[in-house]
Amino acid sequence: MKRKEETRRRTAVVTGAATGIGAAVSERLAGQGTRLVLVARDGARLEAAAERLRAEHGVQVSTLALDLSHQGAPSRLAEWLAGAGIEVDVLVNNAGASLMGPIAGSDPGRLRGLVDLNAGAVAELTALLLPAMVARGRGAVVNIASTGAYAPAPYVAAYAASKAFVLSFTQAVWAETRATGVRVVAVSPGPTDTAMNTRRMPGKRTPDAVADTVMSALRSRGPAVVDGPLNAFQTFVFGRLLPASAAARIAERSLRRAATGY
Ligand SMILES: NC(=O)c1ccc[n+]([C@@H]2O[C@H](COP(=O)([O-])OP(=O)(O)OC[C@H]3O[C@@H](n4cnc5c(N)ncnc54)[C@H](OP(=O)(O)O)[C@@H]3O)[C@@H](O)[C@H]2O)c1
């Protein structure tokens, strides 16, 4: 009987799971009894997070230290999962990085690494793990985008563009998989209080609030969810009401000082 219950337990892979939003989502999933595979670069930090989750929730947690911006890393993760005999029910593509500053003057290699992580790894991991979910007729893929996905964002141009990729990609895959029993959704946080965003700003959300939105997005039906009413309003204005040129000019003025000091 116990064995049967065990085999019915879900397994989730969460990338960028030791800190910020990924840690909060992992906590929610562990609280539901979901087994976890945590992925990020810093293996010691991951193992510490895993130990906390095991102690608090009594769930099985594995860790894999991997730089997902490296070519072949998503395949290595899929091979590791297959080798360990792990069927993935939920994939949370959360790992991400940001770079602030004008593109003229940015390190081209770091820009490329950002796109490879924020967009490339998300597409590759989805393509690697989705087929088994579709074959089983159940499962979920949550891709963490950003409110920056909805309009061009000067001084975080590559970041916002990579998140626009995540949003568009996820909306398309949602439509492809609607009749399969697999839930595919993009969740877009706005400014959230994590290591990635230490700037002081009004209306900043907590990782726990974003994790609540992720959990309710898993239960809902649409292709994309924005975290928090203020962020939803902002994406409506900047993404739908304003032409892209006006949105970019307004954002340029509001981000210039933070990005350049002028
Ligand atoms: N904070 C915000 O204001 C905000 C707003 C909108 C969207 N988001 C999105 O939310 C997601 C989570 O970010 P966060 O705010 O929670 O920031 P965070 O605490 O810095 O988390 C980022 C996570 O990604 C992992 N990571 C970074 N580079 C990686 C790589 N190359 N390979 C594998 N893992 C990597 C980091 O762990 P290691 O360093 O150990 O690899 C870390 O656990 C990101 O996709 C971000 O774009 C954040």
Side-chain angles (χ1 to χ4, degrees):
M1 182 65 183
K2 186 151 191 272
R3 176 174 275 272
K4 259 191 165 177
E5 277 170 18
E6 282 288 304
T7 54
R8 277 204 301 269
R9 280 196 174 174
R10 293 191 308 172
T11 299
V13 171
V14 182
T15 69
T19 62
I21 293 167
V25 171
S26 300
E27 174 84 39
R28 294 290 187 286
L29 290 167
Q32 294 184 340
T34 305
R35 294 173 181 163
L36 289 165
V37 178
L38 311 182
V39 184
R41 290 167 304 180
D42 185 334
R45 197 162 61 176
L46 267 186
E47 194 42 50
E51 201 41 59
R52 273 196 305 277
L53 292 171
R54 289 181 199 115
E56 278 170 31
H57 301 288
V59 290
Q60 198 177 313
V61 186
S62 311
T63 62
L64 187 63
L66 210 54
D67 187 331
L68 287 167
S69 70
H70 287 172
Q71 202 181 349
S75 297
R76 290 234 307 282
L77 170 55
E79 281 159 19
W80 183 89
L81 291 164
I86 295 173
E87 276 187 359
V88 178
D89 300 290
V90 182
L91 167 64
V92 183
N93 277 312
N94 164 78
S98 176
L99 278 176
M100 182 171 259
I103 288 296
S106 293
D107 177 334
R110 287 188 71 195
L111 277 180
R112 174 61 188 251
L114 178 150
V115 173
D116 287 346
L117 174 66
N118 290 6
V122 170
E124 202 176 339
L125 273 176
T126 303
L128 283 163
L129 300 184
L130 186 63
M133 295 183 197
V134 170
R136 288 197 297 273
R138 63 186 155 77
V141 177
V142 181
N143 292 333
I144 303 298
S146 164
T147 50
Y150 287 81
Y155 306 117
V156 279
Y159 175 77
S162 71
K163 294 298 187 176
F165 174 96
V166 173
L167 178 63
S168 172
F169 174 80
T170 309
Q171 287 168 321
V173 179
W174 169 83
E176 290 175 13
T177 53
R178 274 180 69 204
T180 66
V182 180
R183 172 89 181 109
V184 177
V185 62
V187 175
S188 288
T192 306
D193 199 9
T194 69
M196 181 182 285
N197 187 343
T198 53
R199 281 184 298 150
R200 279 196 194 187
M201 42 176 70
K204 230 174 163 189
R205 305 263 296 171
T206 63
D208 280 338
V210 179
D212 286 340
T213 298
V214 168
M215 300 312 286
S216 72
L218 277 168
R219 295 188 298 269
S220 63
R221 295 165 73 99
V225 174
V226 175
D227 173 58
L230 211 65
N231 292 326
F233 176 71
Q234 190 197 322
T235 55
F236 177 72
V237 172
F238 278 80
R240 294 258 186 87
L241 286 187
L242 292 172
S245 57
R249 279 204 313 273
I250 294 168
E252 194 277 327
R253 275 199 295 275
S254 86
L255 286 168
R256 188 188 306 150
R257 182 177 285 276
T260 67
Y262 299 109

